[in-house]
Amino acid sequence: MRIALELYLKQLVVGGFDRVFEIGKQFRNEGIDMNHNLEFTTCEFYMAYADCYDLMEMTEDLLSGMVKELTGGYIIKYHANGYDKKPIEINFTPPFRRIEMIGELEKVANLNIPKDLASEEANSYLVDACARLNVLCPPPLTTARLLDKLVGEFLEEMCVNPTFIINHPVIMSPLAKWHRSNNDLTERFELFINKHEVCNAYTELNNPVVQRQRFADQLKDRQSGDDEAMVLDETFCKALGYGLPPTGGWGLGIDRLTMLFTDSLNIKEVIPFPLMRLQDKPASA
């Protein structure tokens, strides 16, 4: 059971395969609800000599084209509030809206986040902001987790029609390349539809020295109790040392996209074998 395909596929790009993809199963023990299942299916691809801006255009073309082929137009109807309620309309007409993560969060939530997001000042500010805005963030209260909870509360709720949230901070994106005009941010986007993440992509970090430091920073968060922080992968860092060309990486949750296209409210409706098997009871003596 694997958590992610990413590092292995990027090592193939290092090896000379300029375009690689895989549609496969992953397993993450992050709980179960109507939009999450422990085992799920993704499509991931890595494309040498592309960046996140190329991938945004490709994502728009792919998804709007799929909707056009399925419906004859760019609008689907989805019973987001239950089958007994009136369906909402989700408009896939390209181009999709793009919103800057930090700038839009400050605007919507009336925040003034310190610029140095790696500082104790920024962490304290976000802890206070979450408490003041009644945004629950279970420990550990790392800056990345606090930002993620605030984004979920204030930005994701705005994303009914397909919307790219772009330019994530470095502390939230350990595998993404720094932004070409702001080293505190990365060239990354997440696509949200009906308030849920469907796609995640970025310009890949290909500097082995910076990547090792990013892993070290993640390790500090992991040691503080953040189970979702990454561990140091020596094999991957060694591969980057041989040379990863400028690369764009893209991943999409097939199950969630299928939910939208089939008007399914529970992810279990689109997974062939969604239930976990009950442990057999031992035979009585």
Side-chain angles (χ1 to χ4, degrees), residues 26-179:
Q26 299 181 53
F27 185 94
R28 297 179 188 173
N29 192 15
E30 297 174 354
I32 299 175
D33 60 30
M34 293 181 69
N35 289 281
H36 294 82
N37 194 64
L38 298 180
E39 186 178 53
F40 56 98
T41 309
T42 65
C43 174
E44 289 197 22
F45 73 76
Y46 294 85
M47 181 177 177
Y49 311 110
D51 60 25
C52 72
Y53 302 104
D54 299 315
L55 301 186
M56 273 193 273
E57 292 183 7
M58 292 176 65
T59 305
E60 289 171 340
D61 291 344
L62 174 65
L63 297 188
S64 64
M66 291 174 70
V67 173
K68 185 71 176 291
E69 183 69 23
L70 290 169
T71 68
Y74 289 120
I75 295 176
I76 66 171
K77 293 186 177 181
Y78 185 73
H79 286 83
N81 302 310
Y83 294 122
D84 58 337
K85 306 293 184 181
K86 183 178 179 180
I88 65 171
E89 290 188 346
I90 302 177
N91 191 339
F92 283 80
T93 303
F96 300 161
R97 183 170 61 139
R98 303 180 184 186
I99 58 178
E100 295 261 355
M101 175 181 282
I102 298 299
E104 191 70 16
L105 179 60
E106 289 183 322
K107 178 182 175 182
V108 173
N110 192 26
L111 299 174
N112 185 19
I113 303 171
K115 300 305 178 186
D116 183 3
L117 291 171
S119 66
E120 288 294 331
E121 178 190 6
N123 183 263
S124 297
Y125 181 90
L126 292 170
V127 169
D128 293 340
C130 284
R132 174 168 51 85
L133 296 169
N134 296 316
V135 175
L136 179 63
C137 181
L141 300 180
T142 63
T143 300
R145 283 172 55 83
L146 291 162
L147 278 172
D148 184 64
K149 295 299 182 182
L150 287 165
V151 168
E153 183 73 21
F154 291 99
L155 298 190
E156 294 175 17
E157 290 297 310
M158 301 164 50
C159 303
V160 176
N161 291 330
T163 303
F164 293 117
I165 297 179
I166 66 174
N167 298 344
H168 297 51
V170 168
I171 59 171
M172 299 179 73
S173 313
L175 297 171
K177 196 165 191 174
W178 57 88
H179 196 280

Side-chain angles (χ1 to χ4, degrees), residues 3 13 30 63 85 90 98 109 122 139 154 160 164 174 194 212 228 239 241 255 258 267 279:
I3 297 173
V13 181
E30 297 174 354
L63 297 188
K85 306 293 184 181
I90 302 177
R98 303 180 184 186
F154 291 99
V160 176
F164 293 117
N194 186 41
R212 183 179 294 278
E228 296 182 19
D255 307 312
T258 304
I267 196 170
Q279 184 177 356

